[in-house]
Amino acid sequence: STIVYFGLPNVFCGVLAGVLFLLFFGVRKISLSEKIGSGAIVLLFIFSFYLVPLEKAWSGFQYPNWFPARYSFLFSFFLLFLAYRAFLHLHEFSSVVLLGAGGISLAAIAAVALWANGAKVQTAMILLTAAAVILYVALLFLSRSRRSGWLALPLLLLFVTAEMGLNAQQLVEGLDRQFGYK
């Protein structure tokens, strides 16, 4: 939303990574203790974004000027790492697990849309994100197919690139509206 102190953390790793992150917890070959540890780390990051004492600890025990949650890139990287681990086991997931991850992702988007009213989240962006979840889950289904699986990876690359480009454009335009580039 902004880079001043009371803004939201700058977190973005893509919708596909969000879906795959959820699938990480469904991988049977990953031990339960690793899943619990990874979940605990994710929760620590989330609590750090909203609890002032944790935010202050991440910032060297001083309140940061600008760029709230400066460590949020670590959160994004960790989600990408877990998403990659899930992607390596993509063929092992049942259709129910894939649909469940898509459903949980859509529920999370709806929760964020309702909860982040003050953050000026645009309805069009929420709808595009929900459409991206549906598209990515469909492409993940397609990638498991022996006949047409070869088509899924280039399409995933194309849509992830488009999503990242759209997000970058929105970010730069938002900062320009707020601060004005010279």
Side-chain angles (χ1 to χ4, degrees):
S1 62
T2 182
I3 58 174
V4 297
Y5 182 69
F6 293 106
L8 295 173
N10 290 306
V11 175
F12 186 77
C13 54
V15 175
L16 178 61
V19 173
L20 288 171
F21 160 73
L22 294 172
L23 288 174
F24 168 81
F25 295 98
V27 177
R28 293 185 180 157
K29 292 183 179 178
I30 296 176
S31 70
L32 181 61
S33 61
E34 185 176 352
K35 291 175 188 175
I36 291 171
S38 298
I41 290 170
V42 168
L43 286 176
L44 173 68
F45 276 117
I46 291 171
F47 287 140
S48 296
F49 293 152
Y50 295 103
L51 298 176
V52 174
L54 289 173
E55 167 77 21
K56 194 173 176 182
W58 279 99
S59 301
F61 297 99
Q62 296 183 13
Y63 289 108
N65 293 331
W66 298 62
F67 293 106
R70 297 170 186 203
Y71 51 89
S72 63
F73 72 95
L74 295 171
F75 177 72
S76 297
F77 177 78
F78 191 65
L79 287 184
L80 286 170
F81 172 72
L82 297 179
Y84 169 72
R85 300 274 314 276
F87 187 77
L88 292 177
H89 299 278
L90 190 60
H91 291 30
E92 299 170 19
F93 294 115
S94 68
S95 299
V96 173
V97 172
L98 279 173
L99 287 174
I104 291 170
S105 297
L106 290 173
I109 292 166
V112 167
L114 293 172
W115 186 47
N117 273 344
K120 300 177 185 171
V121 179
Q122 297 174 356
T123 305
M125 294 306 287
I126 293 168
L127 293 174
L128 279 172
T129 304
V133 167
I134 295 167
L135 177 71
Y136 287 139
V137 169
L139 287 173
L140 291 175
F141 268 107
L142 182 66
S143 71
R144 297 173 15 172
S145 168
R146 290 186 182 187
R147 278 192 205 162
S148 53
W150 62 272
L151 182 60
L153 288 180
L155 287 175
L156 281 171
L157 178 64
L158 175 72
F159 288 118
V160 166
T161 303
E163 177 192 356
M164 295 292 178
L166 179 62
N167 183 63
Q169 175 193 8
Q170 293 294 313
L171 176 71
V172 170
E173 287 177 0
L175 290 175
D176 184 40
R177 278 191 302 275
Q178 186 174 12
F179 299 105
Y181 290 120
K182 296 191 181 205

